[in-house]
Amino acid sequence: MEDRSRKMLINGQWMESLSGKQIALKSPATGETIAHMAYGGREEAIMAIEAAHDAFADWSTTPAKERSAYLLKIVQLMQENKADLAHMISLEMGKPIREARGEVDIAIDYVQWYAEEAKRVYGDLVPSNSKTKRILVVRQPVGVTAAITPWNFPLSMVTRKIAPALAAGCTVILKPAKQTPGSAILFFELMEKAGLPKGVANLVLGNAGEIAEAFTSSSYVKKITFTGSTEVGKQLLNQASHQVKRVSMELGGHAPFIVFPDADLEKSVEGLIASKFRNSGQTCICTNRVYVHTSIIEPFSRLLKQKIEKMVMGNGLREDVDLGPIVDRVGLQKIEEQVQDSLDRGAKLLSGGRIRTDGELGKGYFYEPTILVDVDDEMRVAYEETFGPVVPILPFETEQEVLEKANHTPFGLAAYFYTKDLGRTIRMYEGLEYGIIGANDPIPTTVQAPFGGFKESGIGREGGYYGMEGFLETKYVSLGF
Ligand code: NAP
């Protein structure tokens, strides 16, 4: 990366941290240092908040068509720089380059969608009870928005927040995850190239706790939008409550994947692989628990084993790789502990179950694709989010039983089921307490649909026109004459 690509962007200036502190960014596939990143904290966050505050008056009154034009210019620049963006995603967080290209495509789709949505922020004229009054309802940007994003989709999680915020007329400050500042920096370079006025979009890197504290304690910041773990989300909710700030939370999940006896076996196994092994199992909507009807457990598990043992593991930058590394050592250890816990409690390994230490793989954080059978509800994999390529298979007998088990979790992000029965399909999608349902579909994410969770998986929705809501306030004007 060139020199300025290690820096933050505050009020139109690329800058090092005020203390000069940097941290090394390492490849999870090779352990090599990619770059040294500026590492700031509270003071830089305050500078960025002030810049966003100063820029708000102009940006929020810029005609929607002009805001849209900026976003369309960003779309064009992202399209021209697709290869660099995908390379950076794969380099810094490890996902296979084919998946990284897919992420760039959807990241662009979000910007394109909200470029269009910017022009459709309508109000209402509601019939009044009086001849001399009119009831107007207008939508206005919520104000300065602070966004905090995770590493697992380092570009699309950023554009899914920043594009609707800018479209609505908000100014923003982003703090990306420490593992993936590079993708955010490239995106901010493109926003700068598109001519976005200074202070409208600011990038802060560094100490998450300090930066979040600056965001939540500033009266200038009106909205916090967060994607990450439920644990950090709860802390932020707490902090944001002091000023009753607007919040959107996209948090953790524990997705059930249910295979009924009438399901197409081949399609359900393929679907499970797509849902479970994408990004090496490190997505919030990844399958965590697989419920298979007792009558088909044996053929289902056999077919799954045959298929996953053919998957190619390695450096995500290689074209032939299906499974990249786990993002860091902490993530790798958590997977190992969860698998060991299952084995200690009586589960059996059907496939995998090891950290790879051989050859090139030994330099990175690689965990084999793994199948556990004889899993029960007491094992950690059955209730704790597994961010890794581990499939725990649990048996079930009846529809009612599996529905209750699937809902027996504080999470409610995504749930999947495979069946050909229409009545069962309707009963299941109505009964599942989840924000996203994949009925015979393992990859439900798409730009026009609302993405978000029930229960402890979050508050609010991103994507489609629903994604504008969180960046708008509703104002009622009673107009007498
Ligand atoms: P995380 O630890 O919660 O980190 C997410 C972001 O929060 C990072 O930018 C992180 O900064 C920051 N952060 C850490 N501690 C903080 C604090 N005390 N105050 C404020 N911010 C803080 O989550 P993760 O492990 O990176 O990401 C995986 C989690 O995200 C999973 O639970 C996954 O399910 C969830 N996720 C949810 C969705 C969704 O749409 N629902 C999408 C993707 C991921 P640092 O990196 O600097 O620590």
Side-chain angles (χ1 to χ4, degrees):
M1 291 174 77
E2 60 180 281
D3 207 31
R4 69 186 227 150
S5 297
R6 301 166 180 178
K7 297 178 184 170
M8 312 182 217
L9 181 65
I10 299 177
N11 205 21
Q13 297 294 317
W14 289 97
M15 58 174 273
E16 288 290 351
S17 65
L18 296 170
S19 68
K21 187 173 172 187
Q22 295 182 329
I23 57 164
L25 182 66
K26 301 217 181 231
S27 153
T30 64
E32 285 162 11
T33 299
I34 301 168
H36 288 88
M37 294 289 164
Y39 192 83
R42 185 173 176 278
E43 286 178 69
E44 292 83 352
I46 290 171
M47 287 170 66
I49 292 167
E50 283 170 357
H53 174 75
D54 292 346
F56 180 71
D58 264 358
W59 183 250
S60 58
T61 52
T62 297
K65 192 173 173 202
E66 284 178 38
R67 290 202 301 268
S68 172
Y70 282 114
L71 289 168
L72 289 174
K73 179 73 187 162
I74 295 167
V75 168
Q76 182 208 324
L77 290 166
M78 289 178 83
Q79 276 162 345
E80 288 167 14
N81 290 275
K82 265 166 110 165
D84 285 353
L85 290 162
H87 183 268
M88 177 55 74
I89 292 172
S90 180
L91 179 70
E92 64 182 355
M93 63 73 58
K95 75 174 60 170
I97 188 75
R98 281 172 292 157
E99 289 185 27
R101 288 187 196 115
E103 181 179 345
V104 175
D105 284 339
I106 195 162
I108 295 173
D109 279 354
Y110 283 121
V111 185
Q112 170 94 42
W113 183 276
Y114 289 107
E116 289 152 4
E117 212 59 56
K119 295 178 279 186
R120 298 186 180 99
V121 180
Y122 304 133
D124 290 310
L125 184 60
V126 182
S128 156
N129 290 341
S130 159
K131 281 187 175 178
T132 58
K133 279 192 186 185
R134 295 293 178 267
I135 296 173
L136 275 62
V137 180
V138 292
R139 317 298 310 281
Q140 291 185 335
V142 66
V144 171
T145 293
I148 302 178
T149 49
W151 48 265
N152 58 352
F153 289 90
L155 188 66
S156 62
M157 294 297 102
V158 168
T159 63
R160 199 164 79 180
K161 294 183 186 306
I162 289 187
L166 296 182
C170 299
T171 53
V172 295
I173 308 126
L174 171 74
K175 198 223 76 77
K178 59 181 170 301
Q179 296 92 340
T180 54
S183 307
I185 289 170
L186 285 184
F187 178 60
F188 272 71
E189 284 184 352
L190 299 180
M191 285 200 289
E192 186 192 32
K193 248 191 196 161
L196 208 63
K198 69 176 182 151
V200 169
N202 304 274
L203 175 68
V204 180
L205 308 174
N207 185 304
E210 278 189 26
I211 293 169
E213 218 278 318
F215 287 164
T216 50
S217 61
S218 166
S219 60
Y220 286 165
V221 175
K222 300 294 190 291
K223 160 97 189 180
I224 307 282
T225 170
F226 173 73
T227 298
S229 61
T230 296
E231 188 192 349
V232 172
K234 286 180 182 176
Q235 278 179 43
L236 279 170
L237 275 172
N238 234 328
Q239 290 171 256
S241 71
H242 299 297
Q243 294 179 10
V244 196
K245 288 194 192 301
R246 306 298 176 257
V247 289
S248 297
M249 298 273 149
E250 297 285 350
L251 307 177
H254 204 277
F257 187 106
I258 304 162
V259 189
F260 287 101
D262 64 319
D264 181 315
L265 198 66
E266 178 79 26
K267 279 191 185 155
S268 55
V269 169
E270 286 293 340
L272 175 61
I273 291 172
S275 164
K276 179 71 251 187
F277 295 100
R278 191 160 68 111
N279 210 359
S280 293
Q282 304 170 103
T283 90
C284 53
I285 60 167
C286 263
T287 292
N288 273 265
R289 294 164 281 157
V290 183
Y291 293 105
V292 184
H293 191 265
T294 44
S295 64
I296 53 164
I297 277 201
E298 203 279 322
F300 182 91
S301 313
R302 189 161 19 96
L303 188 57
L304 179 65
K305 179 175 156 73
Q306 275 170 18
K307 286 185 188 279
I308 67 169
E309 289 182 351
K310 291 188 190 133
M311 293 178 94
V312 179
M313 206 175 356
N315 188 336
L317 288 170
R318 264 177 32 208
E319 288 289 341
D320 62 330
V321 161
D322 302 308
L323 275 177
I326 300 305
V327 75
D328 57 24
R329 190 175 300 283
V330 179
L332 194 65
Q333 277 164 355
K334 186 176 168 202
I335 298 166
E336 192 180 37
E337 282 166 22
Q338 284 194 356
V339 171
Q340 193 54 51
D341 169 78
S342 303
L343 298 176
D344 291 347
R345 291 169 189 268
K348 291 192 185 61
L349 268 179
L350 195 64
S351 188
R354 280 182 313 148
I355 292 177
R356 294 290 292 267
T357 51
D358 49 310
E360 287 294 302
L361 297 182
K363 294 182 184 161
Y365 307 122
F366 289 91
Y367 200 90
E368 288 179 334
T370 297
I371 306 173
L372 289 166
V373 289
D374 295 342
V375 174
D376 67 38
D377 299 335
E378 303 304 313
M379 299 173 189
R380 281 175 62 187
V381 284
Y383 59 86
E384 235 181 55
E385 194 175 26
T386 305
F387 248 41
V390 179
V391 178
I393 297 185
L394 298 94
F396 76 92
E397 292 284 353
T398 69
E399 187 182 306
Q400 190 55 32
E401 171 203 353
V402 78
L403 184 59
E404 280 167 22
K405 284 187 170 171
N407 285 337
H408 188 66
T409 166
F411 296 110
L413 189 56
Y416 308 89
F417 61 87
Y418 274 71
T419 179
K420 289 183 195 143
D421 182 317
L422 179 61
R424 172 177 281 152
T425 301
I426 295 171
R427 289 191 297 277
M428 288 302 290
Y429 82 63
E430 287 183 354
L432 284 164
E433 296 163 359
Y434 289 81
I436 301 163
I437 306 289
N440 302 316
D441 180 10
I443 308 284
T445 311
T446 177
V447 64
Q448 61 270 53
F451 190 102
F454 284 20
K455 302 197 274 189
E456 293 187 22
S457 287
I459 297 172
R461 294 293 181 272
E462 293 183 341
Y465 76 81
Y466 316 89
M468 289 294 283
E469 278 300 306
F471 300 100
L472 294 165
E473 281 282 20
T474 298
K475 184 180 279 177
Y476 154 49
V477 184
S478 180
L479 184 65
F481 60 99

